[in-house]
Amino acid sequence: GGGGYDPKPDKVFGVSFRTRPESSTGVPHVLEHSVLCGSRKYPSRDPFAHLLKGSLQTFLNAMTYPDRTVYPVASRNRADFRNLMDVYLDAVFHPRAVEEEGWWVLRQEGWRYDVVGGDDDGDEADGGVSLPGERRDFEYKGVVYSEMKGAYSDPEGLMDRVAQGLLFPDSPYRYDSGGDPAVIPTLTREEFVGFHRRYYHPTNARLFVAGDESDVYDALSRASAYMTPFGYNPQSRKESVIPYQQRTFKKPVYERRPYSAPGGDGGGGGGGHMLQVTWLLNTQPLDGVTELAWIVLD
């Protein structure tokens, strides 16, 4: 057919960064949201929403893992695919969020103080006119803050996070890269900007692309135009390395935590108990066959 449509399977592009958490402020997660709030070439306040509605994308998202942040896109239309690549490359390497003009992004996507009952659109809430001496109540707001409050109210998710912290007491994996709601409000702009500068560097990035030959060449050429001006910075790659957790405990470690649960059936208790048993499997890289075996067992 015409219009540049290619009936072959989806063309896929992604850029990922190894983002080593240094606390549970959730800065990797907040950055994942924030870089998609406008960039140097695409200054729209929410280009992500425009792409979701106005492009021919078959996949468009971003994900924060415990040790990396990934930005994948896919489309079956060649022109659309190349536009998506360009928007994402500009977003990760030149986001407005880390510039002075993007001061509002951290407050919208991360956390801020808001007047109770005030605006909820991400801007600074004025909550109307206050009278002299009138007492105002404030609360925390923010996209990631609210999202993680919901995540921490899920008992199974909370149990997984506690177990991960116990298994990796000396590793960055003991932190929650998504953000702990009790810690997210300690995230400063300096930490936010510094994290992007440190880890969102081409030396610390990995690209993946799938498509026909012209798609691959175009992706490499486009990526090179964005990445070459940054130069080579081995320090960025070195700082993001996560060492393997060694077996520092000689006997099982136990932890008991309360969690919020819905009321019972009128029997007076409700909620019940949950139990999880976990093992630290390896203290060095697994070979491919062993890793596959564990995946199958899981």
Side-chain angles (χ1 to χ4, degrees):
Y5 180 75
D6 182 356
K8 292 178 183 175
D10 296 32
K11 307 168 189 302
V12 179
F13 173 80
V15 56
S16 61
F17 302 91
R18 189 163 63 189
T19 45
R20 169 184 173 140
E22 295 150 2
S23 67
S24 290
T25 58
V27 62
H29 189 189
V30 176
L31 256 177
E32 177 230 303
H33 282 247
S34 299
V35 301
L36 298 171
C37 289
S39 62
R40 181 186 297 176
K41 190 173 176 182
Y42 303 97
S44 162
R45 195 177 178 98
D46 193 355
F48 186 74
H50 292 307
L51 291 174
L52 279 175
K53 291 184 292 186
S55 80
L56 299 173
Q57 53 83 22
T58 52
F59 188 87
L60 182 76
N61 212 335
M63 293 85 90
T64 302
Y65 293 91
D67 52 10
R68 65 195 182 281
T69 310
V70 186
Y71 299 87
V73 296
S75 179
R76 292 189 173 188
N77 179 286
R78 176 168 287 121
D80 185 55
F81 177 60
R82 293 179 178 183
N83 182 60
L84 290 171
M85 275 195 293
D86 204 61
V87 173
Y88 261 45
L89 283 166
D90 202 60
V92 297
F93 290 119
H94 303 297
R96 289 202 305 166
V98 298
E99 306 296 340
E100 284 300 319
E101 63 175 306
W103 60 268
W104 54 270
V105 179
L106 175 58
R107 298 186 187 185
Q108 172 181 288
E109 301 298 324
W111 73 275
R112 65 184 183 277
Y113 292 113
D114 226 343
V115 177
V116 174
D119 295 343
D120 197 24
D121 61 359
D123 293 322
E124 294 296 281
D126 58 20
V129 179
S130 59
L131 300 173
E134 182 184 359
R135 182 180 176 85
R136 308 302 299 270
D137 291 322
F138 290 85
E139 61 185 338
Y140 290 127
K141 288 282 187 68
V143 175
V144 169
Y145 177 79
S146 300
E147 183 182 318
M148 295 312 295
K149 270 182 71 177
Y152 269 67
S153 67
D154 171 49
E156 288 189 22
L158 180 60
M159 189 163 61
D160 285 341
R161 287 178 174 86
V162 171
Q164 184 164 310
L166 293 173
L167 273 183
F168 300 98
D170 310 308
S171 160
Y173 290 130
R174 71 186 184 274
Y175 300 122
D176 188 349
S177 63
D180 180 340
V183 184
I184 290 172
T186 67
L187 173 60
T188 63
R189 178 156 180 84
E190 290 70 30
E191 183 184 351
F192 175 75
V193 173
F195 196 89
H196 180 270
R197 187 179 299 119
R198 189 177 310 117
Y199 295 129
Y200 278 60
H201 191 281
T203 312
N204 191 47
R206 288 288 183 270
L207 303 181
F208 52 92
V209 59
D212 62 28
E213 190 175 349
S214 67
D215 296 323
V216 173
Y217 279 121
D218 180 80
L220 294 176
S221 172
R222 205 174 289 271
S224 178
Y226 274 100
M227 298 168 83
T228 302
F230 283 87
Y232 178 61
N233 179 15
Q235 192 63 27
S236 176
R237 189 84 187 140
K238 192 183 299 181
E239 287 181 352
S240 70
V241 170
I242 298 181
Y244 277 80
Q245 173 68 48
Q246 301 304 304
R247 290 193 178 92
T248 55
F249 35 88
K250 307 298 182 187
K251 57 183 181 180
V253 176
Y254 298 90
E255 183 87 9
R256 187 184 180 113
R257 295 279 185 95
Y259 64 91
S260 34
D265 56 4
H273 299 278
M274 298 175 69
L275 176 69
Q276 179 168 310
V277 182
T278 59
W279 288 269
L280 182 65
L281 294 179
N282 57 306
T283 56
Q284 56 188 10
L286 294 171
D287 63 81
V289 174
T290 307
E291 186 171 357
L292 178 60
W294 280 118
I295 291 171
V296 172
L297 278 171
D298 184 46

